[in-house]
Amino acid sequence: MDSPYLSVIVPGLNVAATLEACLASVSAALPPGETAEVLFADGGSQDDSPAIAARAGSRLVSVSFPRGFRISRLRNQGAAQAHGELLCFLDADMTLPPEALSLACGRFRQGFDGLLAFQDQAPPHTSWVGRVWGARDLLPQGEVVSARQLPGRNLFIRRVRFQQLGGFSEELPTGEDKAFSVAARQAGLPVLRSAETTLIHHGAEGSLGEFLGKEYWRQSHALGQLATLGLSPRTLRQPLFALWHLLLPPATVLLLPFSPTAALLLLLLWPLPALLSTAVFFRRARVAFWPLAALNFLRWSVAGVALAGEVRHRFRGSGP
């Protein structure tokens, strides 16, 4: 039997709620005549995820975790058992539109040799938080742009290039897709984000509490990512903005008895990182400015708390 051209790798741990729809969308999007395989990289699910994958015809890859759960390990182990020339990494909470795989396979068959992701957005029924946050980086329909980083939940790359780059870092609890994008750019590979079609991200934030929890997780390894990715304006932004939000409130309180005017000025500067972040996205975002600014303000405030926690853990020698 000839090797398939495309290998779709779906990592997951207890993802029964979304896996069936994800795999059904993959099946519906397979181009006519295109050879493909689907691998479900299972991290030890206790729900019906493996059975759902088997019913959909996916090949099961069981992954053990000697150092704790890492989605990067799921993706890497899935890729290690894949046979396709082209790899597609697709999270279990994503669904593909019918044309997605045809567009991706066509681009690579025409000679593209880099990293590709399509844009994604939250489903219409999700909360305002998910809609606003998910729409902050949407491109005009059909546009394809060079990107600094791409999300691991929706990623295409030739298998030989993936192997040359060494796969996703298993040292990082989060941000492994950012590190992988950086490695691709450093290797001279094009990194493209495409709005030729749009995937649906069913794991988008369903409430403000979920948003805060996810952001705490994402931001809680800023120093670890800095050590892995090296110093640059991009990598320094996260810890510096987090530090700003952490230090401004106590600095304002300490300054208040000595100079109320200076304290007020400092307080007015507190939202500066949020406004700067919002301005970057708002140049093309199809969302209202102030809801996005409010979420960015909360994001960097949570990041400050997460940074303090990361520093405390590192000081105690426990690592990230």
Side-chain angles (χ1 to χ4, degrees):
M1 178 179 173
D2 293 336
S3 295
Y5 176 70
L6 174 67
S7 294
V8 181
I9 299 159
V10 181
L13 174 64
N14 298 324
V15 290
T18 57
L19 182 60
E20 187 170 6
C22 172
L23 296 177
S25 76
V26 172
S27 179
L30 289 176
E34 192 69 81
T35 55
E37 64 176 356
V38 180
L39 300 92
F40 176 60
D42 180 44
S45 296
Q46 300 300 308
D47 63 5
D48 290 335
S49 298
I52 291 171
R55 287 198 300 269
S58 303
R59 182 152 57 92
L60 185 66
V61 178
S62 297
V63 183
S64 61
F65 292 92
R67 293 175 298 169
F69 180 83
R70 296 284 193 276
I71 195 169
S72 53
R73 184 171 176 83
L74 291 177
R75 292 178 181 140
N76 287 342
Q77 291 298 308
Q81 297 195 35
H83 300 102
E85 177 183 335
L86 178 63
L87 302 181
C88 167
F89 295 96
L90 186 71
D91 279 8
D93 59 4
M94 304 289 291
T95 52
L96 294 165
E99 67 277 4
L101 296 181
S102 292
L103 288 168
C105 290
R107 183 175 289 274
F108 280 90
R109 285 193 182 277
Q110 291 167 14
F112 178 71
D113 192 15
L115 207 56
L116 172 71
F118 295 111
Q119 68 178 7
D120 60 67
Q121 64 181 11
H125 60 269
T126 196
S127 71
W128 72 269
V129 178
R131 291 195 304 273
V132 169
W133 197 244
R136 73 190 187 281
D137 205 20
L138 289 177
L139 300 169
Q141 183 64 36
E143 186 171 334
V144 180
V145 300
S146 178
R148 295 191 192 94
Q149 65 186 66
L150 297 176
R153 62 179 177 261
N154 149 39
L155 200 63
F156 296 83
I157 187 173
R158 294 188 192 277
R159 181 159 57 99
V160 65
R161 297 301 183 203
F162 181 80
Q163 293 169 342
Q164 289 170 353
L165 293 173
F168 293 99
S169 170
E170 297 184 16
E171 300 300 321
L172 294 172
T174 184
E176 75 291 333
D177 44 8
K178 180 188 297 186
F180 189 70
S181 299
V182 170
R185 291 201 313 274
Q186 290 175 342
L189 299 179
V191 177
L192 297 184
R193 185 165 174 270
S194 170
E196 295 168 293
T197 191
T198 303
L199 281 65
I200 301 298
H201 182 207
H202 298 275
E205 293 76 3
S207 67
L208 189 57
E210 185 180 353
F211 170 79
L212 295 175
K214 285 185 175 182
E215 280 305 309
Y216 183 86
W217 166 250
R218 291 171 185 142
Q219 305 292 338
S220 61
H221 306 286
L223 298 180
Q225 292 186 32
L226 188 63
T228 300
L229 301 177
L231 295 175
S232 72
R234 181 74 179 178
T235 58
L236 283 170
R237 184 197 65 163
Q238 182 175 348
L240 289 179
F241 280 12
L243 190 63
W244 180 277
H245 270 257
L246 180 66
L247 296 181
L248 257 288
T252 301
V253 172
L254 291 173
L255 189 60
L256 187 60
F258 305 100
S259 177
T261 302
L264 178 59
L265 178 61
L266 202 59
L267 187 63
L268 291 175
L269 290 174
W270 190 16
L272 184 60
L275 296 175
L276 290 174
S277 299
T278 304
V280 169
F281 287 117
F282 195 69
R283 290 179 299 177
R284 61 172 180 266
R286 286 171 277 172
V287 292
F289 182 90
W290 291 112
L292 182 57
L295 290 179
N296 266 314
F297 180 82
L298 292 173
R299 174 198 190 194
W300 293 120
S301 297
V302 167
V305 177
L307 180 64
E310 185 179 6
V311 170
R312 183 173 64 254
H313 286 305
R314 285 178 173 268
F315 181 75
R316 291 175 178 175
S318 60

